[in-house]
Amino acid sequence: MNSEDSQNKAIETDFKPLEITSPRTAEAPGPNVGAECCSVDGKTKVKGAEEHEDAAAEAQSSYIPTALSLILLLGGILLDNLDMPWFTGYLRFVVYATAYVLVGWRVVWHAIKSLRSSFFNEFFLMSMATLGAFYIGEYAEGVAVMLFYVIGEHFQEAAVLRSRRSIKALIDNRPDEVGLVTEKGIINVKAKEVQVGDVVQVKAGEKVALDGELLSERSSFNTAALTGESKPDTKAKGETVLAGMINLDRVIELRVTSAYENSALSKILKLVEEAGSRKAKTQQFITRFAKVYTPIVFFLAVGLVLIPYFFVEAYDFNQWLYRALIFLVISCPCALVISIPLGYFGGIGAASRNGLLFKGSNFLDLMTQVDTVVMDKTGTLTEGVFKVQQVETVLDDKSWFLTAVAALESKSTHPIAQAIMAEAGQAYEQHRVEQVEEISGHGLKGKVDGKELLVGNTRLLEKFHVAFDPSLKEIVETIVVVAVGGAYVGYITIADKVKEDAPLAVRRMRELGVKRLVMLSGDKNSIVQKVAGELKLDEAHGGLLPQDKVSKVEELKAQGRTVAFVGDGINDAPVITLADVGMAMGGLGSDAAIETADVVIQTDHPSKIATAINIGKKTKQVVWQNIALAFGVKAIVLILGAGGLATMWEAVFADVGVALLAILNAVRIQRMKFK
């Protein structure tokens, strides 16, 4: 990754809104979000995502001039075909000119304004072609070109607004008010006014408005808005509940942990809206191509008018000008400029409905090129929750053994200590614990009920010269050995469980063409190799520090591989940044991992890695279908037009018709089902 790519992947990035070029509209074309932009009728300014409904209303009002123009055009064509003697001269010109002005004045105005900066653009091409048609008396065809072009713009605007609304409706329909718990009882207040640390009440069936810690004993939640999963998720007291989840069971209370604008749901909305700022290479190519292609076609059109003068005996200026105008209409790259970014935005929307957040359309493209997926173990391929697997002791009282160890471990915050305490239940609280000493990298020493205990790894017993069976070192799982009064008395094994869909994730990734699957972990190598063998991975390395993971990924990239790294911890942030595509587990993952990632998996399911690849492939497939359609039809009609075999009506289809087909094809991504 070069320095420019690294800068693009910085935690704090200045994003621009999604650009959908709409030449009919004002200076900032298209219905953009998150920045000041014009509305779809070119009049009213719209600021921010919250005013999309206003933009939709403005779009509907802009249909009126289009409808009037269509009526005038059809009426004019009907009168022409009926050969009405009174429908000639100035009256005929006024009818068609009125129809033209209703839909074309903004395009002509922007063509004039753009002469100062960019001479060859869609505004100029459309204006030249349609005004030229009026010059040679082809009024109906001049109006038709502009009218159908504007109708195409309406379809584009409707598609973009529909896509944005569907994403917003899917993700953000939080209640505006919440029930704030106060000394005087429950009072309704604006969600934006609630402070961190306040306690709010959520009734059964209500959607959670703010992130918080569950104060009630437990409840089940529908998390589909955040994760795409319909299966309810049961939360216990002390666990985090996120905005957007629906409370299914009972009335609960939450202690707010994030302000409204900083909630997980707000961040998701921001990511989705800003995703269009990072353009895919295909989009960048089309933008550059259009700048070169447009002037070439323009000069070819000029040549089509002038050159025949020197070679054709019965040269008719109007005839060759008509052919050149057809050439100009066909040359407009509208289908490409409109449908390609819309296709990528559709892919981002489809991903968000499947619990995946892409931070840019460029990462949709990169996912299709990934041939190596590197994954962390704990929290990514495994549950990340340690559980006691086996308790072995030479003591007669096995219950005392477990609860005494748990009593000493209660003085530690280590995940292994938490697992032992969970296994023992509340019974360990009956023991008296004193003189606790934590020995870094080894374990704990202390007195329980007056007896001296050593609890930790085998190195702890070696340090205090306690004899034990050397075969304990061969146990694959994490092992906690115990000595009482200077004598070895037993051990407890603890292991992390492989996630249920991890084998499915591996199989799907291989089906989608991922050639190498690698696991990197800080856990001890024996455990790592066991998990890798169970999942049939190609390569696995354990006992790694964060810098070691970086080195391993650098080695893979040096081999010419396109690498996606998937992790969840703060120690994974450096290697997530280094990978071609960094992916983070959003449910259990740390903020640092999520912030630096290019793709966030909201469900914590590793099978979503394959879903991300699949969505990327389908999106790219649709985009290239649109490119092939646009170039294919334009090439055919350009040749026919130059030879005088195509009229302006065929040109309209080659430009606007193809654009409409491309838009409909791009919108199709939103309806696709992904595993």
Side-chain angles (χ1 to χ4, degrees):
M1 178 181 295
N2 57 34
S3 59
E4 183 179 349
D5 293 331
S6 299
Q7 291 172 1
N8 286 338
K9 296 177 67 174
I11 295 176
E12 296 295 333
T13 308
D14 293 325
F15 290 102
K16 297 177 182 177
L18 174 70
E19 295 178 6
I20 301 287
T21 305
S22 176
R24 185 174 58 84
T25 56
E27 290 86 348
N32 291 333
V33 175
E36 182 177 287
C37 68
C38 65
S39 75
V40 289
D41 74 343
K43 295 178 183 177
T44 308
K45 296 286 183 180
V46 179
K47 298 181 181 180
E50 295 181 356
E51 299 187 19
H52 270 304
E53 294 305 320
D54 294 338
E58 295 290 351
Q60 291 176 354
S61 68
S62 70
Y63 297 160
I64 296 173
T66 305
L68 291 175
S69 177
L70 177 61
I71 292 170
L72 289 173
L73 173 63
L74 294 176
I77 293 174
L78 179 63
L79 292 173
D80 280 340
N81 288 326
L82 293 176
D83 292 326
M84 292 293 180
W86 53 269
F87 190 66
T88 57
Y90 285 111
L91 176 61
R92 181 171 180 268
F93 175 80
V94 168
V95 169
Y96 281 117
T98 303
Y100 180 87
V101 171
L102 283 170
V103 290
W105 73 269
R106 288 193 183 90
V107 175
V108 176
W109 174 240
H110 287 301
I112 295 170
K113 290 202 299 183
S114 67
L115 292 177
R116 294 174 294 179
S117 56
S118 177
F119 187 73
F120 299 107
N121 52 46
E122 296 94 332
F123 311 121
F124 181 75
L125 292 180
M126 293 299 298
S127 300
M128 287 289 293
T130 52
L131 293 175
F134 267 75
Y135 169 76
I136 61 175
E138 300 291 347
Y139 301 149
E141 294 184 0
V143 173
V145 170
M146 190 63 77
L147 174 63
F148 287 116
Y149 172 74
V150 171
I151 289 174
E153 292 298 313
H154 284 312
F155 271 91
Q156 171 216 331
E157 291 156 357
V160 173
L161 285 170
R162 180 178 175 277
S163 295
R164 291 192 185 279
R165 270 201 301 262
S166 67
I167 294 170
K168 190 172 178 64
L170 178 77
I171 296 177
D172 190 19
N173 55 345
R174 289 173 289 183
D176 293 328
E177 292 188 344
V178 295
L180 181 66
V181 178
T182 67
E183 294 179 355
K184 298 179 181 179
I186 309 297
I187 60 172
N188 289 330
V189 299
K190 295 288 185 182
K192 293 181 179 180
E193 297 174 0
V194 177
Q195 303 295 315
V196 174
D198 287 347
V199 176
V200 297
Q201 184 188 80
V202 183
K203 297 177 182 178
E206 283 187 347
K207 178 162 282 192
V208 179
L210 298 154
D211 295 351
E213 176 189 344
L214 183 61
L215 299 180
S216 305
E217 285 303 316
R218 63 178 58 249
S219 188
S220 293
F221 297 86
N222 180 330
T223 65
L226 294 170
T227 66
E229 296 292 324
S230 57
K231 182 180 177 181
D233 184 8
T234 301
K235 301 286 186 182
K237 184 176 181 179
E239 291 191 289
T240 299
V241 176
L242 299 177
M245 294 181 176
I246 300 174
N247 179 27
L248 299 176
D249 282 355
R250 65 204 72 183
V251 177
I252 59 169
E253 291 186 353
L254 302 174
R255 178 175 287 110
V256 176
T257 56
S258 297
Y260 184 88
E261 62 274 11
N262 294 326
S263 69
L265 195 58
S266 295
K267 290 178 181 178
I268 291 172
L269 282 168
K270 184 179 179 182
L271 287 175
V272 172
E273 293 292 354
E274 292 171 342
S277 64
R278 291 174 173 173
K279 294 184 178 181
K281 288 185 178 180
T282 310
Q283 289 176 267
Q284 296 169 353
F285 163 75
I286 291 300
T287 302
R288 294 193 301 268
F289 174 82
K291 291 180 180 179
V292 176
Y293 157 85
T294 305
I296 290 175
V297 173
F298 174 77
F299 285 114
L300 286 174
V302 172
L304 194 59
V305 177
L306 301 178
I307 294 176
Y309 174 80
F310 301 100
F311 300 98
V312 178
E313 291 185 8
Y315 175 77
D316 183 345
F317 176 78
N318 282 355
Q319 176 189 351
W320 289 99
L321 177 61
Y322 183 70
R323 295 186 184 185
L325 295 175
I326 293 172
F327 209 76
L328 286 179
V329 172
I330 299 167
S331 71
C332 283
C334 302
L336 299 173
V337 174
I338 290 172
S339 65
I340 290 173
L342 186 59
Y344 281 109
F345 188 64
I348 291 170
S352 69
R353 285 203 306 277
N354 283 272
L356 292 159
L357 299 178
F358 279 84
K359 294 185 180 179
S361 55
N362 53 328
F363 301 119
L364 276 167
D365 258 1
L366 275 172
M367 285 304 300
T368 67
Q369 302 167 28
V370 168
D371 55 25
T372 302
V373 175
V374 182
M375 297 162 283
D376 179 41
K377 181 182 76 68
T378 307
T380 301
L381 291 173
T382 62
E383 297 286 353
V385 179
F386 288 100
K387 291 185 179 179
V388 171
Q389 305 294 315
Q390 187 178 8
V391 179
E392 292 291 339
T393 179
V394 298
L395 299 176
D396 294 332
D397 191 347
K398 187 174 181 179
S399 176
W400 182 89
F401 172 78
L402 177 60
T403 56
V405 172
L408 186 59
E409 291 282 19
S410 68
K411 305 304 178 182
S412 171
T413 58
H414 196 281
I416 290 176
Q418 303 301 314
I420 295 174
M421 290 162 59
E423 182 71 14
Q426 302 297 317
Y428 71 85
E429 296 177 356
Q430 65 186 344
H431 298 290
R432 186 179 76 258
V433 182
E434 54 191 354
Q435 298 180 20
V436 178
E437 178 186 354
E438 183 165 355
I439 303 169
S440 180
H442 293 74
L444 297 172
K445 176 186 176 184
K447 286 189 175 183
V448 177
D449 298 335
K451 297 179 181 179
E452 186 177 89
L453 263 67
L454 295 173
V455 177
N457 53 36
T458 54
R459 294 197 304 273
L460 179 67
L461 299 194
E462 290 172 345
K463 180 179 179 68
F464 287 91
H465 309 290
V466 176
F468 61 91
D469 187 347
S471 64
L472 294 179
K473 293 184 177 181
E474 305 302 321
I475 294 176
V476 173
E477 291 85 2
T478 299
I479 183 171
V480 176
V481 292
V482 183
V484 178
Y488 165 77
V489 295
Y491 66 87
I492 299 172
T493 59
I494 297 170
D496 194 3
K497 182 182 177 183
V498 172
K499 287 185 177 178
E500 187 176 341
D501 73 330
L504 175 64
V506 171
R507 186 173 73 251
R508 284 184 180 172
M509 283 189 278
R510 293 201 188 280
E511 290 172 352
L512 288 167
V514 178
K515 296 176 181 177
R516 195 157 190 83
L517 296 173
V518 182
M519 182 168 65
L520 304 179
S521 176
D523 208 343
K524 71 179 186 179
N525 194 53
S526 59
I527 297 175
V528 171
Q529 297 304 328
K530 180 184 178 183
V531 174
E534 183 180 340
L535 295 175
K536 299 179 182 178
L537 303 181
D538 299 305
E539 186 179 339
H541 303 276
L544 301 178
L545 296 172
Q547 57 267 35
D548 299 324
K549 292 183 180 181
V550 169
S551 298
K552 292 292 183 184
V553 171
E554 285 177 338
E555 289 175 12
L556 291 168
K557 293 186 68 175
Q559 297 170 13
R561 298 181 180 276
T562 302
V563 179
F565 181 87
V566 191
D568 72 314
I570 190 170
N571 62 324
D572 292 325
V575 70
I576 285 175
T577 305
L578 173 67
D580 296 295
V581 181
M583 306 180 74
M585 292 291 181
L588 295 175
S590 72
D591 288 343
I594 293 169
E595 290 289 343
T596 55
D598 308 310
V599 183
V600 179
I601 301 174
Q602 287 295 110
T603 62
D604 284 323
H605 292 166
S607 60
K608 292 295 183 180
I609 305 170
T611 305
I613 296 173
N614 194 18
I615 291 174
K617 286 181 179 290
K618 291 295 184 183
T619 301
K620 195 169 186 178
Q621 183 181 29
V622 167
V623 166
W624 279 102
Q625 285 172 356
N626 286 347
I627 292 173
L629 174 67
F631 277 124
V633 174
K634 283 180 181 291
I636 293 170
V637 183
L638 276 172
I639 295 170
L640 293 175
L645 301 176
T647 66
M648 194 72 80
W649 296 105
E650 281 85 4
V652 169
F653 172 75
D655 179 42
V656 180
V658 171
L660 292 177
L661 291 175
I663 290 169
L664 293 174
N665 192 38
V667 171
R668 187 168 60 91
I669 302 173
Q670 296 276 352
R671 301 181 181 273
M672 290 183 180
K673 301 291 184 182
F674 297 96
K675 292 182 179 180

